[in-house]
Amino acid sequence: MTDTITLNDGVKIPAVGFGTFLIPADGSTYKAVRAALDAGYRHIDTATAYYNEEEVGNAVRDSGILREEIFITSKLWVSHFGYERALMGVERSLRKLGMDYMDLYLLHQPYGDVAGAWQALEEAKKAGKIRSIGVSNMTVKIWNACVPHFATMPSVNQIECNPLAQQKEIRKIMAAGSVKAECWGPLGQGNRTLLENQTIRAIGEKYGKSAAQVILRFEVQEDMITLPKSANSERIRSNLDIFDFTLADDEMNQIRALDTGKPSHNPDAPGVGEYLISHYPIND
Ligand code: A2P
């Protein structure tokens, strides 16, 4: 069983979750989620725009594990932003998942009527349809433009984060509101420069752990939630096997020093919202 992190609304979330972005809904998502649950994951991260919520729901049901023992995150797509459409988007996710509540629901991308969509999430939370609510891909600039207008503080901001792109500035602002970071692309999306980094590998050798395990352990010790993806059953299993060692302070500092401050995705770039809507259409 994985360690948990407590969110600012008291909800406990397993620190390692299984990411499902880009896993097709052709039976592959079902298989991958079953494998993850068998390997001991109790936290699955999906989204409307991953087009695989149905298979996630089926895998959870068929696993035989009690629903309340599994933490399910999904996300509202930008085409459902605005108050009224967001209420429908929540119902759509619940219907696709075949569940009567979600543990965490995020505004997937910060474009369009973010404030109206957030208000709908706050209401869905009050109505018991969602246990915790959060945002995603918010930079300092976007956070400062949006969050001061929210009635309640998000519980998480899911952002691209790994040892080469540690997002220190936005994390500092989030920490002031006890908002936890969730790392997408926590292994640098398979980036060899990261996975073959000598500092990380040397630390791993000391503990008999792979570079990936050291990276994920670093993220969890930074009090972040991390969402590694893998299609390989051995790597799915080993990515969760990070709770039997602890990185020392000097090792944490060595990894903190690897930050380049340059994530691969820039949510502030002009046209990102329009690009996302046109490339990930949701038509129902
Ligand atoms: P694979 O599916 O073959 O395991 P991220 O989680 O940062 O988005 O990275 C996902 C990428 O990292 C995938 O290409 C995945 O490939 C690879 N990956 C996942 N786990 C590991 C691991 N333990 N060691 C090396 N590469 C990994």
Side-chain angles (χ1 to χ4, degrees):
M1 194 38 88
T2 61
D3 271 12
T4 57
I5 284 178
T6 303
L7 302 178
N8 59 8
D9 58 3
V11 168
K12 287 186 169 32
I13 180 169
V16 180
F18 183 67
T20 66
F21 178 47
L22 293 180
I23 311 185
D26 58 358
S28 312
T29 301
Y30 179 87
K31 236 171 90 184
V33 173
R34 287 296 301 269
L37 293 170
D38 285 348
Y41 287 77
R42 291 297 178 266
H43 173 181
I44 310 292
D45 183 276
T46 180
T48 300
Y50 297 174
Y51 306 105
N52 58 16
E53 288 168 302
E54 269 166 322
E55 289 198 20
V56 168
N58 289 335
V60 166
R61 263 184 306 285
D62 291 353
S63 72
I65 301 164
L66 290 176
R67 167 68 187 90
E68 55 269 32
E69 287 179 7
I70 304 178
F71 194 99
I72 299 291
T73 300
S74 192
K75 313 185 191 83
L76 185 77
W77 190 233
V78 227
S79 49
H80 281 103
F81 278 19
Y83 175 74
E84 294 292 342
R85 287 197 54 75
L87 291 176
M88 292 192 307
V90 170
E91 296 303 329
R92 184 184 183 282
S93 284
L94 289 169
R95 195 170 62 244
K96 296 265 180 198
L97 287 162
M99 295 176 181
D100 51 15
Y101 73 94
M102 295 176 282
D103 294 282
L104 177 63
Y105 203 58
L106 310 181
L107 299 185
H108 197 157
Q109 297 283 352
Y111 309 103
D113 185 1
V114 171
W118 183 253
Q119 199 194 332
L121 263 52
E122 290 174 327
E123 284 185 20
K125 181 178 175 178
K126 276 194 200 116
K129 295 175 183 184
I130 309 169
R131 294 176 63 222
S132 277
I133 54 178
V135 298
S136 189
N137 295 301
M138 284 203 175
T139 59
V140 170
K141 188 174 164 198
I142 296 171
W143 182 279
N144 287 336
C146 294
V147 176
H149 303 289
F150 292 176
T152 55
M153 192 57 95
S155 288
V156 307
N157 182 17
Q158 185 178 124
I159 47 180
E160 180 184 6
C161 191
N162 67 68
L164 299 181
Q166 295 182 30
Q167 303 277 12
K168 288 176 182 169
E169 261 189 85
I170 182 69
R171 281 169 56 203
K172 212 180 286 167
I173 293 173
M174 288 157 54
S178 302
V179 180
K180 299 293 184 200
E182 289 195 306
C183 308
W184 69 253
L187 299 171
Q189 301 168 282
N191 176 349
R192 302 318 308 175
T193 312
L194 175 60
L195 289 165
E196 288 168 13
N197 179 277
Q198 281 313 314
T199 302
I200 292 174
R201 288 175 79 146
I203 294 171
E205 271 164 33
K206 178 173 157 195
Y207 295 102
K209 294 286 177 184
S210 68
Q213 288 171 318
V214 171
I215 292 165
L216 298 170
R217 178 73 207 185
F218 167 77
E219 289 159 356
V220 169
Q221 277 186 228
E222 284 284 68
D223 210 23
M224 302 194 285
I225 298 136
T226 188
L227 305 166
K229 294 194 295 290
S230 180
N232 171 285
S233 56
E234 173 50 28
R235 289 192 284 278
I236 288 176
R237 192 202 55 73
S238 70
N239 288 346
L240 190 62
D241 184 19
I242 61 164
F243 294 100
D244 60 353
F245 74 115
T246 302
L247 297 172
D249 288 346
D250 70 305
E251 292 162 341
M252 290 296 288
N253 284 332
Q254 284 176 48
I255 303 176
R256 286 184 188 118
L258 300 176
D259 186 25
T260 65
K262 291 195 190 89
S264 68
H265 173 62
N266 175 13
D268 291 333
V272 175
E274 292 81 353
Y275 172 87
L276 290 168
I277 289 185
S278 64
H279 280 74
Y280 297 88
I282 301 292
N283 297 317
D284 61 320

